[in-house]
Amino acid sequence: MMNIIKHLVSVSAIAFLLYVFTFYIDGEMGVILLSFMISAPVFSLVFVVYSLKRIKVSFDCDGYVKKGNKLKVTVTVEKNDGLPFALIDIKPSVSEVFGKDIKTYRLSMMNERRKDFTFDVEAVTGGNGEIAIDTVYSCGFLGFIRLKAKIPLPAPKSVGVIPEIPEIKASSQLFRNIADVVMTSDDDEDNDTSMMFSTNTTVGYEHREYVAGDPLKRVNWKLSTKRGKLMVRLDEASSSVQPEILLDLYRNSTEKTEDSVIGEEKLIISVFGLLILMLRQGIPCGFTYYGPDGEIVTENVDNPEYPLQLLLKILSVKVIPDRRINILPESTSACACIVATTDTGGNFTSITDKIENHENTSIISISQEMTSPPDIPLWYLDENNNFIMV
């Protein structure tokens, strides 16, 4: 509405000046100017309409950027022939993980068949973000004529903003609780294995010593540390003595997206801080999350170098509002279960109700304001990178 008022004021001002010039200063020159002011918009409109379907806009940028850095986006505008075009207005848009200081870019395509320009956006919050071209307009006659281009806009690009993962101390009570459960479960498995070996003619143990060519993802780092040599699993059933992490990036559709992405970043750094600590202490674990195609993925994470790759996978996936993680049957019998969620309200208990052993279950959330089922402890990461139980 304000733009329309500005245009009306400008046209009125020009019309008034032409009137004064024609009738009070120089009539002949005034007629010439008046003819120009009538013909120029007509010719400009022709070029504007001509260009509506004869341009192509694309853009490119990196798929990941670290929080606090700037992402460079390159926009390319091409025309289908050599005829001069009117002005082109391009308005990019970014999602909430980026700074919102985005302006409209205007360029002329007189002699060039192709023109590029770049702009920077600041990554302010860790998580999955999106870059898009919001609108493309063809403009003419000093900006008074402005029509939306009738072209398909380029598909938005997903960008992962990589947050800084804090270092969690091994003295954290949450980690100590998980480690105690794992040690107890591992001892129980060792006892069961010894009984199998004593009553059978074949070895019943589920590990053997590493040999060249074995995949590193099957190395049991905890057992290898205890024995002083690399041991690989022979049977995936050993995952029953590993803790399971469920990542529930739940975004309530009624909440402001700006607030949601802050909570999601908080949860991601909490979970990965704990995951990295467990791997450094020789405790592999299962990790369940949503994949790029909307499928639920469970991975066995046992390599200390793998969390960064896993983090990039998660940051590449767009968060779908009102979608909960769905616990898989094989995850319900894990020795310890850590449910990481941004929201413990609503239908959150649909996750915890499927877990068999609540005694060895913990919930990680984003603040002390959250509540949890009465028989499951809830933890959050404070500003000093310590897990505090609510």
Side-chain angles (χ1 to χ4, degrees):
M1 186 65 183
M2 288 300 299
N3 288 333
I4 295 176
I5 294 176
K6 288 180 181 178
H7 287 329
L8 289 176
V9 171
S10 300
V11 171
S12 301
I14 294 173
F16 176 74
L17 290 175
L18 283 174
Y19 175 81
V20 172
F21 195 89
T22 302
F23 290 97
Y24 294 99
I25 300 178
D26 190 333
E28 182 177 352
M29 183 58 67
V31 171
I32 296 175
L33 290 175
L34 183 61
S35 301
F36 172 78
M37 294 302 293
I38 294 175
S39 60
V42 174
F43 283 109
S44 182
L45 178 61
V46 171
F47 280 107
V48 169
V49 173
Y50 176 78
S51 65
L52 291 180
K53 296 182 179 181
R54 306 186 66 82
I55 57 175
K56 177 183 177 182
V57 178
S58 60
F59 72 99
D60 192 25
C61 61
D62 291 337
Y64 297 95
V65 61
K66 286 187 176 181
K67 178 183 176 180
N69 291 354
K70 290 188 176 182
L71 177 71
K72 179 172 289 188
V73 183
T74 301
V75 180
T76 301
V77 183
E78 300 174 271
K79 59 184 181 179
N80 297 337
D81 51 44
L83 293 179
F85 276 6
L87 298 173
I88 306 297
D89 277 2
I90 298 176
K91 179 60 183 283
S93 64
V94 298
S95 60
E96 286 74 15
V97 299
F98 296 104
K100 289 294 187 177
D101 186 19
I102 303 296
K103 64 179 183 179
T104 298
Y105 296 86
R106 174 170 291 183
L107 62 155
S108 173
M109 303 284 287
M110 293 300 295
N111 300 320
E112 303 90 344
R113 294 284 295 268
R114 167 178 171 151
K115 183 171 285 189
D116 299 329
F117 69 90
T118 62
F119 65 93
D120 296 330
V121 291
E122 185 178 5
V124 297
T125 307
N128 177 262
E130 195 172 79
I131 307 290
I133 298 298
D134 196 24
T135 57
V136 178
Y137 283 90
S138 181
C139 305
F141 194 62
L142 306 177
F144 290 112
I145 301 174
R146 192 167 184 262
L147 299 178
K148 193 171 184 178
K150 299 178 180 179
I151 58 173
L153 297 177
K157 291 187 181 294
S158 174
V159 179
V161 178
I162 306 172
E164 187 72 26
I165 304 301
E167 183 175 347
I168 309 299
K169 296 181 180 180
S171 58
S172 169
Q173 187 60 50
L174 174 59
F175 168 74
R176 291 169 60 185
N177 291 350
I178 297 171
D180 288 344
V181 172
V182 172
M183 290 293 292
T184 303
S185 301
D186 201 30
D187 290 341
D188 291 342
E189 185 188 60
D190 289 344
N191 292 335
D192 293 341
T193 299
S194 299
M195 293 176 63
M196 292 173 62
F197 182 77
S198 63
T199 58
N200 292 281
T201 57
T202 58
V203 177
Y205 200 67
E206 296 153 330
H207 297 82
R208 64 165 168 79
E209 191 171 350
Y210 174 86
V211 296
D214 285 336
L216 287 177
K217 69 178 183 178
R218 296 186 66 86
V219 174
N220 186 328
W221 298 98
K222 179 175 179 292
L223 183 62
S224 299
T225 301
K226 292 167 63 176
R227 296 199 171 189
K229 55 185 177 181
L230 290 178
M231 303 295 295
V232 295
R233 295 186 311 277
L234 298 179
D235 192 335
E236 288 297 337
S238 61
S239 62
S240 63
V241 296
Q242 295 180 3
E244 179 78 19
I245 296 177
L246 304 175
L247 182 61
D248 181 41
L249 290 173
Y250 178 80
R251 180 180 296 182
N252 194 321
S253 58
T254 63
E255 185 180 26
K256 289 184 178 179
T257 307
E258 293 85 350
D259 297 332
S260 296
V261 296
I262 294 175
E264 290 159 13
E265 178 191 32
K266 177 72 172 178
L267 188 68
I268 288 172
I269 66 174
S270 301
V271 167
F272 275 85
L274 178 63
L275 176 62
I276 291 172
L277 172 61
M278 288 197 295
L279 292 174
R280 286 176 177 172
Q281 297 296 320
I283 302 178
C285 68
F287 198 101
T288 300
Y289 62 98
Y290 270 108
D293 297 323
E295 78 284 12
I296 294 178
V297 180
T298 295
E299 295 194 35
N300 185 39
V301 185
D302 52 13
N303 188 334
E305 303 299 324
Y306 186 63
L308 178 58
Q309 300 177 43
L310 180 60
L311 175 61
L312 295 182
K313 288 183 180 181
I314 291 169
L315 294 178
S316 68
V317 178
K318 185 176 181 178
V319 177
I320 305 299
D322 297 328
R323 183 177 69 174
R324 289 278 186 195
I325 195 70
N326 187 19
I327 185 170
L328 301 177
E330 55 267 29
S331 301
T332 59
S333 58
C335 68
C337 190
I338 302 99
V339 183
T341 183
T342 49
D343 190 336
T344 57
N347 61 344
F348 173 70
T349 54
S350 63
I351 301 175
T352 56
D353 287 346
K354 296 177 182 178
I355 301 174
E356 296 176 0
N357 186 3
H358 280 196
E359 182 180 352
N360 294 331
T361 299
S362 299
I363 297 172
I364 296 177
S365 196
I366 58 177
S367 76
Q368 58 185 343
E369 307 301 327
M370 299 292 175
T371 59
S372 68
D375 56 341
I376 304 178
L378 184 143
W379 305 76
Y380 73 96
L381 193 67
D382 69 4
E383 62 276 4
N384 297 318
N385 298 326
N386 296 317
F387 279 106
I388 307 298
M389 187 168 68
V390 177

mmCIF file of all heavy atoms in Angstrom, residues 9 11 18 20 25 44 59 69 80 101 147 159 200 209 217 224 237 267 276 302 327 348 359:
data_model
loop_
_atom_site.group_PDB
_atom_site.id
_atom_site.type_symbol
_atom_site.label_atom_id
_atom_site.label_comp_id
_atom_site.label_asym_id
_atom_site.label_seq_id
_atom_site.Cartn_x
_atom_site.Cartn_y
_atom_site.Cartn_z
ATOM 1 N N VAL A 9 2.152 9.740 -5.609
ATOM 2 C CA VAL A 9 2.751 11.042 -5.283
ATOM 3 C C VAL A 9 3.770 11.435 -6.339
ATOM 4 O O VAL A 9 3.825 12.596 -6.788
ATOM 5 C CB VAL A 9 3.390 10.992 -3.880
ATOM 6 C CG1 VAL A 9 4.195 12.265 -3.625
ATOM 7 C CG2 VAL A 9 2.326 10.827 -2.811
ATOM 8 N N VAL A 11 3.990 10.376 -9.548
ATOM 9 C CA VAL A 11 3.317 10.691 -10.814
ATOM 10 C C VAL A 11 2.658 12.065 -10.747
ATOM 11 O O VAL A 11 2.727 12.864 -11.700
ATOM 12 C CB VAL A 11 2.286 9.588 -11.152
ATOM 13 C CG1 VAL A 11 1.432 10.015 -12.340
ATOM 14 C CG2 VAL A 11 2.981 8.280 -11.456
ATOM 15 N N LEU A 18 5.237 19.145 -15.375
ATOM 16 C CA LEU A 18 4.990 19.266 -16.810
ATOM 17 C C LEU A 18 3.966 20.364 -17.109
ATOM 18 O O LEU A 18 4.112 21.135 -18.076
ATOM 19 C CB LEU A 18 4.499 17.920 -17.361
ATOM 20 C CG LEU A 18 5.555 16.840 -17.570
ATOM 21 C CD1 LEU A 18 4.894 15.527 -17.982
ATOM 22 C CD2 LEU A 18 6.562 17.266 -18.639
ATOM 23 N N VAL A 20 3.314 23.071 -15.294
ATOM 24 C CA VAL A 20 3.944 24.377 -15.067
ATOM 25 C C VAL A 20 4.892 24.718 -16.207
ATOM 26 O O VAL A 20 4.908 25.845 -16.727
ATOM 27 C CB VAL A 20 4.679 24.384 -13.715
ATOM 28 C CG1 VAL A 20 5.507 25.657 -13.552
ATOM 29 C CG2 VAL A 20 3.682 24.250 -12.576
ATOM 30 N N ILE A 25 6.377 28.269 -18.854
ATOM 31 C CA ILE A 25 7.800 28.461 -19.128
ATOM 32 C C ILE A 25 8.079 28.354 -20.620
ATOM 33 O O ILE A 25 8.488 29.324 -21.264
ATOM 34 C CB ILE A 25 8.661 27.452 -18.345
ATOM 35 C CG1 ILE A 25 8.424 27.632 -16.835
ATOM 36 C CG2 ILE A 25 10.140 27.606 -18.675
ATOM 37 C CD1 ILE A 25 9.182 26.654 -15.972
ATOM 38 N N SER A 44 8.462 1.113 -22.465
ATOM 39 C CA SER A 44 8.978 0.382 -21.301
ATOM 40 C C SER A 44 8.082 -0.797 -20.952
ATOM 41 O O SER A 44 8.561 -1.896 -20.641
ATOM 42 C CB SER A 44 9.090 1.324 -20.106
ATOM 43 O OG SER A 44 9.637 0.661 -18.988
ATOM 44 N N PHE A 59 20.419 -20.260 -8.507
ATOM 45 C CA PHE A 59 21.381 -19.853 -7.485
ATOM 46 C C PHE A 59 22.082 -21.080 -6.928
ATOM 47 O O PHE A 59 21.611 -22.214 -7.079
ATOM 48 C CB PHE A 59 20.701 -19.061 -6.353
ATOM 49 C CG PHE A 59 19.831 -19.887 -5.450
ATOM 50 C CD1 PHE A 59 20.297 -20.343 -4.226
ATOM 51 C CD2 PHE A 59 18.523 -20.207 -5.807
ATOM 52 C CE1 PHE A 59 19.496 -21.101 -3.392
ATOM 53 C CE2 PHE A 59 17.716 -20.952 -4.985
ATOM 54 C CZ PHE A 59 18.203 -21.398 -3.764
ATOM 55 N N ASN A 69 29.450 -17.994 11.009
ATOM 56 C CA ASN A 69 30.058 -17.631 9.741
ATOM 57 C C ASN A 69 29.002 -17.140 8.773
ATOM 58 O O ASN A 69 27.802 -17.258 9.017
ATOM 59 C CB ASN A 69 30.809 -18.820 9.147
ATOM 60 C CG ASN A 69 32.056 -19.172 9.944
ATOM 61 O OD1 ASN A 69 32.429 -18.466 10.871
ATOM 62 N ND2 ASN A 69 32.686 -20.264 9.589
ATOM 63 N N ASN A 80 17.009 -15.376 -22.760
ATOM 64 C CA ASN A 80 16.985 -16.322 -23.869
ATOM 65 C C ASN A 80 17.448 -15.735 -25.192
ATOM 66 O O ASN A 80 17.662 -16.472 -26.151
ATOM 67 C CB ASN A 80 15.565 -16.887 -24.050
ATOM 68 C CG ASN A 80 15.111 -17.666 -22.834
ATOM 69 O OD1 ASN A 80 15.925 -18.140 -22.057
ATOM 70 N ND2 ASN A 80 13.801 -17.789 -22.652
ATOM 71 N N ASP A 101 18.486 -10.018 7.538
ATOM 72 C CA ASP A 101 18.812 -8.770 6.847
ATOM 73 C C ASP A 101 19.004 -9.053 5.349
ATOM 74 O O ASP A 101 20.111 -9.054 4.819
ATOM 75 C CB ASP A 101 20.077 -8.152 7.451
ATOM 76 C CG ASP A 101 20.371 -6.789 6.878
ATOM 77 O OD1 ASP A 101 19.456 -6.174 6.313
ATOM 78 O OD2 ASP A 101 21.537 -6.334 6.982
ATOM 79 N N LEU A 147 5.992 -5.949 -12.913
ATOM 80 C CA LEU A 147 5.172 -7.135 -13.119
ATOM 81 C C LEU A 147 5.940 -8.378 -12.694
ATOM 82 O O LEU A 147 7.151 -8.485 -12.928
ATOM 83 C CB LEU A 147 4.761 -7.261 -14.595
ATOM 84 C CG LEU A 147 3.926 -6.110 -15.170
ATOM 85 C CD1 LEU A 147 3.649 -6.359 -16.647
ATOM 86 C CD2 LEU A 147 2.624 -5.944 -14.407
ATOM 87 N N VAL A 159 20.362 -26.117 3.747
ATOM 88 C CA VAL A 159 21.695 -25.791 4.266
ATOM 89 C C VAL A 159 21.751 -26.167 5.743
ATOM 90 O O VAL A 159 20.868 -25.789 6.522
ATOM 91 C CB VAL A 159 22.015 -24.285 4.101
ATOM 92 C CG1 VAL A 159 23.396 -23.976 4.684
ATOM 93 C CG2 VAL A 159 21.962 -23.889 2.631
ATOM 94 N N ASN A 200 29.225 -76.137 25.400
ATOM 95 C CA ASN A 200 29.162 -76.447 23.980
ATOM 96 C C ASN A 200 30.563 -76.730 23.450
ATOM 97 O O ASN A 200 31.564 -76.296 24.030
ATOM 98 C CB ASN A 200 28.563 -75.267 23.188
ATOM 99 C CG ASN A 200 27.094 -75.067 23.511
ATOM 100 O OD1 ASN A 200 26.245 -75.780 23.007
ATOM 101 N ND2 ASN A 200 26.801 -74.100 24.383
ATOM 102 N N GLU A 209 39.102 -61.437 17.537
ATOM 103 C CA GLU A 209 40.134 -60.427 17.356
ATOM 104 C C GLU A 209 40.094 -59.855 15.943
ATOM 105 O O GLU A 209 39.814 -60.570 14.971
ATOM 106 C CB GLU A 209 41.511 -61.022 17.638
ATOM 107 C CG GLU A 209 42.614 -59.978 17.729
ATOM 108 C CD GLU A 209 43.929 -60.560 18.223
ATOM 109 O OE1 GLU A 209 43.929 -61.718 18.674
ATOM 110 O OE2 GLU A 209 44.946 -59.852 18.132
ATOM 111 N N LYS A 217 33.435 -50.261 11.668
ATOM 112 C CA LYS A 217 32.180 -50.005 12.371
ATOM 113 C C LYS A 217 31.769 -51.198 13.251
ATOM 114 O O LYS A 217 30.890 -51.072 14.094
ATOM 115 C CB LYS A 217 31.064 -49.682 11.374
ATOM 116 C CG LYS A 217 30.613 -50.847 10.521
ATOM 117 C CD LYS A 217 29.470 -50.436 9.604
ATOM 118 C CE LYS A 217 28.946 -51.614 8.792
ATOM 119 N NZ LYS A 217 27.807 -51.226 7.948
ATOM 120 N N SER A 224 37.504 -53.678 23.344
ATOM 121 C CA SER A 224 38.892 -53.575 22.894
ATOM 122 C C SER A 224 39.751 -52.865 23.921
ATOM 123 O O SER A 224 40.909 -53.242 24.162
ATOM 124 C CB SER A 224 38.954 -52.828 21.552
ATOM 125 O OG SER A 224 38.230 -53.514 20.557
ATOM 126 N N ALA A 237 23.513 -59.019 17.809
ATOM 127 C CA ALA A 237 22.757 -59.110 19.061
ATOM 128 C C ALA A 237 23.463 -58.402 20.196
ATOM 129 O O ALA A 237 22.867 -58.093 21.211
ATOM 130 C CB ALA A 237 22.531 -60.576 19.426
ATOM 131 N N LEU A 267 19.068 -28.934 21.809
ATOM 132 C CA LEU A 267 18.972 -30.387 21.942
ATOM 133 C C LEU A 267 20.085 -31.082 21.167
ATOM 134 O O LEU A 267 20.691 -32.047 21.652
ATOM 135 C CB LEU A 267 17.609 -30.870 21.441
ATOM 136 C CG LEU A 267 17.325 -32.345 21.709
ATOM 137 C CD1 LEU A 267 17.149 -32.603 23.199
ATOM 138 C CD2 LEU A 267 16.076 -32.801 20.948
ATOM 139 N N ILE A 276 29.622 -37.989 21.952
ATOM 140 C CA ILE A 276 31.080 -37.934 21.799
ATOM 141 C C ILE A 276 31.767 -38.391 23.081
ATOM 142 O O ILE A 276 32.773 -39.115 23.042
ATOM 143 C CB ILE A 276 31.516 -36.507 21.412
ATOM 144 C CG1 ILE A 276 31.033 -36.184 19.987
ATOM 145 C CG2 ILE A 276 33.028 -36.347 21.503
ATOM 146 C CD1 ILE A 276 31.242 -34.750 19.573
ATOM 147 N N ASP A 302 29.929 -46.617 16.763
ATOM 148 C CA ASP A 302 30.986 -47.161 17.595
ATOM 149 C C ASP A 302 32.360 -46.630 17.232
ATOM 150 O O ASP A 302 33.367 -47.047 17.802
ATOM 151 C CB ASP A 302 30.990 -48.701 17.520
ATOM 152 C CG ASP A 302 31.013 -49.202 16.080
ATOM 153 O OD1 ASP A 302 31.274 -48.384 15.172
ATOM 154 O OD2 ASP A 302 30.766 -50.404 15.865
ATOM 155 N N ILE A 327 9.808 -45.023 18.024
ATOM 156 C CA ILE A 327 10.787 -45.985 18.500
ATOM 157 C C ILE A 327 10.589 -47.325 17.796
ATOM 158 O O ILE A 327 9.466 -47.810 17.641
ATOM 159 C CB ILE A 327 10.687 -46.149 20.037
ATOM 160 C CG1 ILE A 327 11.811 -47.067 20.542
ATOM 161 C CG2 ILE A 327 9.323 -46.640 20.471
ATOM 162 C CD1 ILE A 327 11.922 -47.085 22.052
ATOM 163 N N PHE A 348 4.016 -37.044 23.854
ATOM 164 C CA PHE A 348 5.378 -37.537 24.074
ATOM 165 C C PHE A 348 5.385 -38.931 24.704
ATOM 166 O O PHE A 348 6.265 -39.751 24.421
ATOM 167 C CB PHE A 348 6.143 -36.559 24.974
ATOM 168 C CG PHE A 348 7.493 -37.065 25.397
ATOM 169 C CD1 PHE A 348 8.530 -37.186 24.493
ATOM 170 C CD2 PHE A 348 7.734 -37.426 26.727
ATOM 171 C CE1 PHE A 348 9.775 -37.652 24.879
ATOM 172 C CE2 PHE A 348 8.966 -37.903 27.128
ATOM 173 C CZ PHE A 348 9.995 -38.011 26.195
ATOM 174 N N GLU A 359 13.423 -48.034 34.288
ATOM 175 C CA GLU A 359 14.432 -47.829 35.329
ATOM 176 C C GLU A 359 15.749 -47.339 34.740
ATOM 177 O O GLU A 359 16.460 -46.552 35.362
ATOM 178 C CB GLU A 359 14.657 -49.131 36.105
ATOM 179 C CG GLU A 359 15.660 -48.992 37.256
ATOM 180 C CD GLU A 359 15.854 -50.302 38.003
ATOM 181 O OE1 GLU A 359 15.097 -51.265 37.731
ATOM 182 O OE2 GLU A 359 16.760 -50.356 38.850
#
